[in-house]
């Protein structure tokens, strides 16, 4: 049994409106700044999404997250994805992210565990149950067929940042933002 698995502990759910768990290209501040026009506040420590796995999308610079139980590979029960949370996004900024993530992903409520939290024991409980705070936020979960993923691989943020970020900004992020702006102007007419 995993000691850090939230399902083996008592936990408190803290709902965070207009906050999003990111695990791929959206962890890069330049990507988020280019998309929403500012760098929103973030949780100052990493968070973990249990029961999911992250894989590269075939022939793309970005990854996808899927529930581990649905992966067509040897995913262990203890699968998790580490990432971060962008907070205090406006409804308009969430709309920009929805457009950027397109139909390949579905925005879904998830519960993530802050990795820096100190485990506290309940002194009122004879069993000294571990209490954990889980944060309920949005996340973009892969909605396309898993055949489009490299299920035998994990995606590496450091490699993305050092080898692909500039190209990704130029050839993916900026064109998506320009198309969003164009559609917004047409909608306002």
């Amino acid at each position: 049994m995993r000691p850090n698995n939230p399902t083996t502990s008592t936990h408190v759910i803290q709902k965070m409106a207009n906050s999003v768990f990111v695990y791929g290209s959206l962890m890069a501040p330049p990507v988020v700044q280019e998309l929403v026009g500012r760098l929103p506040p973030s949780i100052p420590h990493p968070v973990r999404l249990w029961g999911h796995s992250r894989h590269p999308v075939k022939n793309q610079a970005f990854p996808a997250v899927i529930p581990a139980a649905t992966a067509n590979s040897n995913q262990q029960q203890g699968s998790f994805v580490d990432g971060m949370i962008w907070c205090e996004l406006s409804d308009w900024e969430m709309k920009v992210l929805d457009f950027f993530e397109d139909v390949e992903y579905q925005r879904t409520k998830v519960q993530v565990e802050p990795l820096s939290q100190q485990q506290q024991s309940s002194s009122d409980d004879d069993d000294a149950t571990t209490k954990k705070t889980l944060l309920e936020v949005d996340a973009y979960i892969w909605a396309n067929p898993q055949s489009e993923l490299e299920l035998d691989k994990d995606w590496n943020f450091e490699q993305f940042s050092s080898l692909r970020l500039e190209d990704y900004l130029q050839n993916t992020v900026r064109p998506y933002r320009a198309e969003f702006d164009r559609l917004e102007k047409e909608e306002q007419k």
Side-chain angles (χ1 to χ4, degrees), residues 126-145:
D126 292 337
D127 296 333
T129 303
T130 301
K131 289 191 177 185
K132 295 185 181 197
T133 298
L134 299 179
L135 307 175
E136 184 175 278
V137 295
D138 288 315
Y140 292 98
I141 306 298
W142 186 250
N144 273 13

Side-chain angles (χ1 to χ4, degrees), residues 6 8-9 11 19 26-27 37 44 53 63 69-70 88 98 107-108 122-123 127 130 139 141 148 168 174 179:
T8 63
S9 308
H11 49 274
S19 297
L26 288 175
M27 290 193 301
S53 56
T70 66
E88 300 175 19
D98 288 346
R107 184 166 23 129
T108 306
S122 169
S123 57
D127 296 333
T130 301
I141 306 298
E148 296 178 21
Y168 188 70
R174 290 180 186 124
E179 180 66 6

Side-chain angles (χ1 to χ4, degrees), residues 12 17 30 101 114 122 148 169 177 184:
V12 177
E101 295 294 0
S122 169
E148 296 178 21
L169 285 166
R177 179 55 200 263
E184 283 279 293

